[in-house]
Every structure is written in C-alpha cells, then in structure tokens.
Amino acid sequence: MKRQAGELSLQLKLRRIPKVATFLIAITILLSLVISVYSPPSFWYKLGEISEATPSLEESTIRRPKDPEWPESNDTTKSKEILGGDEPGSQKAAQETAAAGSTTSSSIPSPSSPAQIDHSYNRTNSQNPTGTTQENYCDLFSGEWVPNPEAPYYTNATCYRIQDHQNCLKYARPDTGFLKWRWKPDGCVLPIFDPNHFLELVRGKSIAFIGDSVARNHMQSLICLLSRVLDPLDVSTGNDENQHWVYKDYNFNISIFSAPYLVRSEKTDPNDVTRPFNLYLDEFDEDWTTKVEGYDYIVISAGQWFFRPTIFYENRTLIGCLACQLDNVAHLRMNFSYERAFRTAFRAINSLANFKGVTFLRTITPSHFEGGSWDKGGDCVRTMPYKRNEAVLEDYMVEMYEIQQRELRIAQEEGSKRGLKFRLLDATQPMLLRPDGHPSKYGHWPNEKMANDCVHWCLPGPIDTWNDFLQELIEREEARKSLV
C-alpha cells in the first residue's frame, strides 16, 4: 500500500510540472515586455555592450554627447566693428584655416573623454525638476520652429534698448513673418517668456552676460521682453562697454561684461580694433573675472571673434598665431585658441572662492551668409526657418560646438568638487534653422555703405527664444533649491 501511495504521489507531482513550466514561461515573457517598454536604450547597450548608434540627419543635425543619466558699442557706422572687427577677408582666411583637416563625421564623443555633460536638468518638465525618470524626459534644445501668431511681444516702439544695427523694424524690413515663430521641443512644452513670472523668479538675484556683441544682443532681448512690465535703471559707470541695470522694485540686476575672447587680450594697435589682438590664453580676463563673484547666474558665450587674426601667448611667451603675417611663428588653427580660451574662462569661474551661482554656457550660433563672405557681398535673404533636416553645421562650426561641449564637461567635473553647477543653454540647433532672423541690410539706411549683417539677430526676432530657454532653466534651478 505504501508503495502504491508513493507512486500515486509521484504521478501527481509529474502532472504539475508542465503547469509550473508554463507559468514560469509566461512570467518571463511578461517581464521582457515590461523591460522593453520602460527601460531606456542604454539598458540594452549595457547588457549587450553595443555602442550607441549615430543619429541620422533626420533625427539630429548636431552631434550631442551621450547622456550619462538618462537612457560691442552703439556706433553702427563701421561694419567691421558690428561684425566682430574683422579685417576684409580675414574671417574667410581664418575659416579656411579652421576648416583644414576638420571632419564632418557624426560620431559621438568617445566614452574615454571627461565626465559627460549633466543633461538631467534638460530632461524634465518644470513640474518635476529632478530629472530622474524617463517619463519626464525632455531635451529643450531638440525640436522645430512652429507658427506663433501672437508674437512679437514687443516692438522697437516699446523697447528703447535696441541698437540700430539690430533694429530691423526701424529700417523697414518688408517681411514680418520671421517674427511669427516659436520653438517647440520634442516631447514637451517650452513656455513663452512671461515678464511678470520671470521678475518674481529672479527677485533679489543677479545675472551676468559675458561674451561678445551677440551676448549683448541676448541681454538686450531680455531687457526688451521685460519692458512689457518695467524698464530698468541704468547704473553703468565708466566709459567701457560693461553695462549694468537694476530693477529696483525686484532688487534684480543685469550686467553685460564685454569679453569677446574670454581671456586677457590686448590690441596690437590701441587705436584700431581691426588689427590683430594678442591673446594670453592661460590668463584670466580680470575685467570680468574680478567682478562676477557675487552673481547668481552667469551666461557665458564666445564665437565670431576667434576667426580674426590673433597672436597667441602662453606663460607670456609667443607660441603661434592665426591668419597673421609673422615669420618664424607657428601658424595654428582657430580651434587651438577657442579651446584654451574656454578652458581658462571656466577655470577662472571655478577659482572664485565665494562664487555660489550657476553658469550657463550658451553655445555657438552660426551665421548664414550666402553668395559670398561678409565682405564679398554675402547676404541672408531667406524669410522662413529651415526644417530640421534642411541644414547642417559646417565643419568648423561643428568643431567649435564640440569644443564647447568638451570644455563644459571638464568644468562640470572640476566644479562638482565644490558644488558649482555648469549648465548648457544650447542655442546652436534652434538658430541653425533661422537664416531668416538676421538684420541683413535692414540694420542701416540704404545710402550707408555697410556690410550685410548675418551674424547678429533682429530685435524682436528668434533670439527672444533664448530667454524662453533661460526662464525655463532658471525655474528648474530654483525648483531644485526648494527640494534640498
């Protein structure tokens, strides 16, 4: 009897095995489906050690680093000064030098490069500023331009801070369609700049813009957008190009520090801005580095001036030049000085003992000259934005963009040692698509002999979107502080 009972028990157990196996298989399939839906692509790369695929032009026209967490003067009579003080032909020669040996490959930076840029603050809607979940993924800077019939939000009649060479409405630009667009990121909404909300956001705070005349262009856009509510008091002193404004009701300050090279520089001819500059690539520009320690936010940028003829020094020793006429001197490419200038500028910020603010790197924005260089009749006459797959960065601009990304990563890594934050305000992709946003010949009267301006941006115009970005990024930073 015991033997028969044992055999019966064994038979019952054997009958259960197929049911258990079926159940386990079903659970395995279900788990696989869940992982495939909710896991980022990087999960699969780690499992299979597969390198990340390079995006096609339809997906992106700019190379972006792999995400580590988720997955000048009011004088408009001299076009040379307006366009960065270049000598005739010098920018073209420098660009050719810069482009020599450059690559148009769209490969992603090597994993062996310094710590990747922290993009988590760009990956979330403002309701959840931590950027910790894939559900809230949003890259503010990947998207497209869409119609916005409500724009513009100010005019040259309501804002007195528009310089003539950006005052396209004053000089009777015939088309106004370039004003009627807004930037729409993929997967989320970028709020339009709200002056009342912004002033509350920055109450008791300060912002410093550091860079060239395009940085000034950005700052003037901000003042114009705020003019719908309040005009600032100009508290500038001295005769230099550094300017300061205060919104007393909000205890909010805005400053612009003119630093087209970011590092210490000097004219080779004190009376001629068109002559080559000496650049001391390892020395701080104390005109701004000694004055920004108390600011809450810094927006730093640089670009077109690095195409000019320049003479390079390190350790106070002549080491080379760009597009110069010097004999027995190493002729170096533009990216040599561009990389070192950003590294020194970020090192300066990281060295400020009492600086507790956030630094935004505003990336390079391309010019849109067609039919020739700026001094050879080139112009920008388009009246509509490009679609995202209709334009790509030129090779030397790709180099500049990648240098900025790389130096930002280095600064982030160094700054993290003392809690400093370096963030990305990536204007490159959006502005690449806006050949219609430049003044062209509508920054001066027809009888004035000046070059077409395809470097700066009309006010009002697409540059106003930079302050949509700035508002959103500052809001996220302030929201993060409230969570600490």
Side-chain angles (χ1 to χ4, degrees), residues 366-394:
S367 59
H368 290 93
F369 289 101
E370 295 185 74
S373 58
W374 73 269
D375 59 324
K376 302 296 183 184
D379 204 353
C380 39
V381 298
R382 296 180 185 269
T383 59
M384 292 281 289
Y386 287 128
K387 295 179 181 179
R388 71 171 74 202
N389 61 346
E390 291 180 336
V392 294
L393 281 182
E394 295 179 348

Short mmCIF file of all heavy atoms in Angstrom, two decimals, residues 366-394:
data_model
loop_
_atom_site.label_atom_id
_atom_site.label_comp_id
_atom_site.label_asym_id
_atom_site.label_seq_id
_atom_site.Cartn_x
_atom_site.Cartn_y
_atom_site.Cartn_z
N PRO A 366 25.48 79.85 -35.59
CA PRO A 366 26.08 80.07 -36.91
C PRO A 366 25.58 81.32 -37.59
O PRO A 366 24.43 81.75 -37.38
CB PRO A 366 25.66 78.81 -37.69
CG PRO A 366 24.40 78.36 -37.02
CD PRO A 366 24.53 78.74 -35.58
N SER A 367 26.44 81.92 -38.39
CA SER A 367 25.99 82.97 -39.31
C SER A 367 25.37 82.29 -40.52
O SER A 367 25.48 81.08 -40.70
CB SER A 367 27.16 83.86 -39.72
OG SER A 367 28.16 83.08 -40.37
N HIS A 368 24.71 83.08 -41.37
CA HIS A 368 24.01 82.48 -42.51
C HIS A 368 24.31 83.25 -43.81
O HIS A 368 23.40 83.54 -44.59
CB HIS A 368 22.50 82.45 -42.26
CG HIS A 368 22.07 81.47 -41.21
ND1 HIS A 368 21.91 81.82 -39.90
CD2 HIS A 368 21.77 80.15 -41.30
CE1 HIS A 368 21.52 80.75 -39.20
NE2 HIS A 368 21.42 79.73 -40.02
N PHE A 369 25.57 83.59 -44.03
CA PHE A 369 25.93 84.26 -45.27
C PHE A 369 25.77 83.29 -46.44
O PHE A 369 26.21 82.15 -46.39
CB PHE A 369 27.37 84.75 -45.22
CG PHE A 369 27.58 85.92 -44.30
CD1 PHE A 369 28.12 85.73 -43.04
CD2 PHE A 369 27.22 87.20 -44.68
CE1 PHE A 369 28.31 86.81 -42.18
CE2 PHE A 369 27.41 88.29 -43.84
CZ PHE A 369 27.95 88.09 -42.57
N GLU A 370 25.14 83.78 -47.49
CA GLU A 370 25.02 83.02 -48.73
C GLU A 370 25.47 83.89 -49.89
O GLU A 370 25.28 85.11 -49.87
CB GLU A 370 23.57 82.57 -48.96
CG GLU A 370 23.07 81.58 -47.92
CD GLU A 370 21.67 81.07 -48.24
OE1 GLU A 370 21.54 80.24 -49.16
OE2 GLU A 370 20.72 81.50 -47.58
N GLY A 371 26.07 83.28 -50.89
CA GLY A 371 26.50 84.01 -52.08
C GLY A 371 27.81 84.74 -51.91
O GLY A 371 28.19 85.54 -52.77
N GLY A 372 28.52 84.50 -50.82
CA GLY A 372 29.81 85.15 -50.59
C GLY A 372 30.05 85.35 -49.11
O GLY A 372 29.14 85.20 -48.28
N SER A 373 31.28 85.71 -48.76
CA SER A 373 31.60 86.01 -47.37
C SER A 373 31.05 87.39 -47.02
O SER A 373 30.53 88.11 -47.88
CB SER A 373 33.12 85.98 -47.17
OG SER A 373 33.76 86.91 -48.04
N TRP A 374 31.16 87.77 -45.76
CA TRP A 374 30.54 89.02 -45.31
C TRP A 374 31.06 90.23 -46.06
O TRP A 374 30.32 91.20 -46.28
CB TRP A 374 30.73 89.19 -43.80
CG TRP A 374 32.13 89.55 -43.38
CD1 TRP A 374 33.12 88.69 -43.04
CD2 TRP A 374 32.67 90.86 -43.24
NE1 TRP A 374 34.26 89.38 -42.70
CE2 TRP A 374 34.00 90.71 -42.82
CE3 TRP A 374 32.16 92.15 -43.44
CZ2 TRP A 374 34.85 91.81 -42.59
CZ3 TRP A 374 33.00 93.24 -43.22
CH2 TRP A 374 34.33 93.06 -42.79
N ASP A 375 32.36 90.19 -46.43
CA ASP A 375 32.95 91.35 -47.10
C ASP A 375 32.96 91.21 -48.62
O ASP A 375 33.53 92.03 -49.33
CB ASP A 375 34.38 91.56 -46.59
CG ASP A 375 35.27 90.35 -46.84
OD1 ASP A 375 34.75 89.22 -46.73
OD2 ASP A 375 36.46 90.54 -47.14
N LYS A 376 32.33 90.16 -49.13
CA LYS A 376 32.28 89.93 -50.58
C LYS A 376 30.84 89.85 -51.07
O LYS A 376 30.53 89.13 -52.01
CB LYS A 376 33.01 88.62 -50.92
CG LYS A 376 34.47 88.57 -50.49
CD LYS A 376 35.32 89.60 -51.22
CE LYS A 376 36.78 89.47 -50.81
NZ LYS A 376 37.62 90.54 -51.43
N GLY A 377 29.95 90.58 -50.41
CA GLY A 377 28.57 90.65 -50.86
C GLY A 377 27.66 89.57 -50.34
O GLY A 377 26.49 89.49 -50.76
N GLY A 378 28.15 88.73 -49.43
CA GLY A 378 27.30 87.69 -48.86
C GLY A 378 26.09 88.29 -48.16
O GLY A 378 26.15 89.39 -47.60
N ASP A 379 24.98 87.56 -48.18
CA ASP A 379 23.75 88.08 -47.61
C ASP A 379 22.91 86.95 -47.05
O ASP A 379 23.19 85.76 -47.29
CB ASP A 379 22.96 88.86 -48.68
CG ASP A 379 22.02 89.89 -48.09
OD1 ASP A 379 21.87 89.93 -46.85
OD2 ASP A 379 21.41 90.65 -48.88
N CYS A 380 21.88 87.30 -46.30
CA CYS A 380 20.95 86.33 -45.72
C CYS A 380 19.54 86.85 -46.02
O CYS A 380 19.03 87.70 -45.29
CB CYS A 380 21.17 86.16 -44.23
SG CYS A 380 21.57 87.69 -43.34
N VAL A 381 18.95 86.38 -47.09
CA VAL A 381 17.70 86.95 -47.59
C VAL A 381 16.51 86.03 -47.39
O VAL A 381 15.39 86.36 -47.80
CB VAL A 381 17.83 87.32 -49.08
CG1 VAL A 381 18.92 88.36 -49.29
CG2 VAL A 381 18.13 86.07 -49.92
N ARG A 382 16.71 84.89 -46.78
CA ARG A 382 15.60 83.95 -46.59
C ARG A 382 14.57 84.55 -45.62
O ARG A 382 14.91 85.32 -44.72
CB ARG A 382 16.10 82.61 -46.07
CG ARG A 382 17.01 81.89 -47.07
CD ARG A 382 17.49 80.56 -46.53
NE ARG A 382 18.45 79.95 -47.44
CZ ARG A 382 18.13 79.10 -48.41
NH1 ARG A 382 16.85 78.76 -48.60
NH2 ARG A 382 19.05 78.60 -49.20
N THR A 383 13.33 84.17 -45.81
CA THR A 383 12.23 84.72 -45.00
C THR A 383 11.49 83.65 -44.20
O THR A 383 10.49 83.96 -43.55
CB THR A 383 11.22 85.46 -45.90
OG1 THR A 383 10.70 84.54 -46.87
CG2 THR A 383 11.89 86.63 -46.60
N MET A 384 11.99 82.42 -44.22
CA MET A 384 11.35 81.33 -43.49
C MET A 384 12.41 80.50 -42.78
O MET A 384 13.55 80.39 -43.24
CB MET A 384 10.59 80.42 -44.47
CG MET A 384 9.37 81.05 -45.12
SD MET A 384 7.94 81.05 -44.00
CE MET A 384 7.54 79.30 -43.99
N PRO A 385 12.07 79.88 -41.64
CA PRO A 385 13.00 78.96 -40.99
C PRO A 385 13.23 77.72 -41.85
O PRO A 385 12.39 77.34 -42.67
CB PRO A 385 12.29 78.58 -39.69
CG PRO A 385 11.21 79.59 -39.51
CD PRO A 385 10.81 80.02 -40.88
N TYR A 386 14.37 77.10 -41.64
CA TYR A 386 14.60 75.77 -42.20
C TYR A 386 13.80 74.75 -41.39
O TYR A 386 13.54 74.95 -40.19
CB TYR A 386 16.07 75.38 -42.10
CG TYR A 386 17.01 76.08 -43.04
CD1 TYR A 386 18.15 76.71 -42.54
CD2 TYR A 386 16.80 76.08 -44.41
CE1 TYR A 386 19.06 77.33 -43.39
CE2 TYR A 386 17.70 76.71 -45.27
CZ TYR A 386 18.82 77.33 -44.75
OH TYR A 386 19.72 77.96 -45.59
N LYS A 387 13.48 73.65 -42.02
CA LYS A 387 13.03 72.48 -41.27
C LYS A 387 14.26 71.77 -40.74
O LYS A 387 15.37 71.98 -41.21
CB LYS A 387 12.20 71.56 -42.17
CG LYS A 387 10.89 72.20 -42.64
CD LYS A 387 10.11 71.26 -43.54
CE LYS A 387 8.81 71.93 -44.01
NZ LYS A 387 8.04 71.04 -44.92
N ARG A 388 14.05 70.90 -39.78
CA ARG A 388 15.18 70.34 -39.04
C ARG A 388 16.15 69.55 -39.91
O ARG A 388 17.33 69.44 -39.60
CB ARG A 388 14.69 69.48 -37.88
CG ARG A 388 14.07 68.17 -38.28
CD ARG A 388 13.83 67.31 -37.05
NE ARG A 388 12.71 67.78 -36.26
CZ ARG A 388 12.55 67.50 -34.97
NH1 ARG A 388 13.45 66.79 -34.34
NH2 ARG A 388 11.48 67.92 -34.33
N ASN A 389 15.69 68.99 -41.02
CA ASN A 389 16.58 68.18 -41.86
C ASN A 389 17.08 68.95 -43.08
O ASN A 389 17.61 68.36 -44.00
CB ASN A 389 15.87 66.90 -42.30
CG ASN A 389 14.61 67.17 -43.12
OD1 ASN A 389 14.13 68.30 -43.14
ND2 ASN A 389 14.09 66.15 -43.78
N GLU A 390 16.93 70.27 -43.07
CA GLU A 390 17.32 71.06 -44.23
C GLU A 390 18.64 71.80 -44.04
O GLU A 390 19.10 72.47 -44.96
CB GLU A 390 16.21 72.09 -44.55
CG GLU A 390 14.94 71.48 -45.08
CD GLU A 390 13.87 72.50 -45.38
OE1 GLU A 390 13.90 73.60 -44.79
OE2 GLU A 390 12.98 72.19 -46.21
N ALA A 391 19.25 71.70 -42.86
CA ALA A 391 20.51 72.42 -42.62
C ALA A 391 21.38 71.61 -41.67
O ALA A 391 20.88 70.95 -40.76
CB ALA A 391 20.22 73.79 -42.02
N VAL A 392 22.68 71.66 -41.92
CA VAL A 392 23.64 71.02 -41.02
C VAL A 392 24.76 72.02 -40.73
O VAL A 392 25.02 72.93 -41.52
CB VAL A 392 24.24 69.74 -41.63
CG1 VAL A 392 23.19 68.67 -41.78
CG2 VAL A 392 24.91 70.02 -42.96
N LEU A 393 25.42 71.86 -39.61
CA LEU A 393 26.54 72.73 -39.28
C LEU A 393 27.69 72.51 -40.24
O LEU A 393 27.98 71.38 -40.64
CB LEU A 393 27.03 72.42 -37.86
CG LEU A 393 26.26 72.99 -36.69
CD1 LEU A 393 26.96 72.60 -35.39
CD2 LEU A 393 26.11 74.49 -36.77
N GLU A 394 28.38 73.60 -40.60
CA GLU A 394 29.61 73.49 -41.36
C GLU A 394 30.68 72.90 -40.47
O GLU A 394 30.62 72.99 -39.24
CB GLU A 394 30.02 74.86 -41.89
CG GLU A 394 29.04 75.43 -42.90
CD GLU A 394 29.48 76.80 -43.40
OE1 GLU A 394 30.39 77.39 -42.79
OE2 GLU A 394 28.90 77.27 -44.39
#
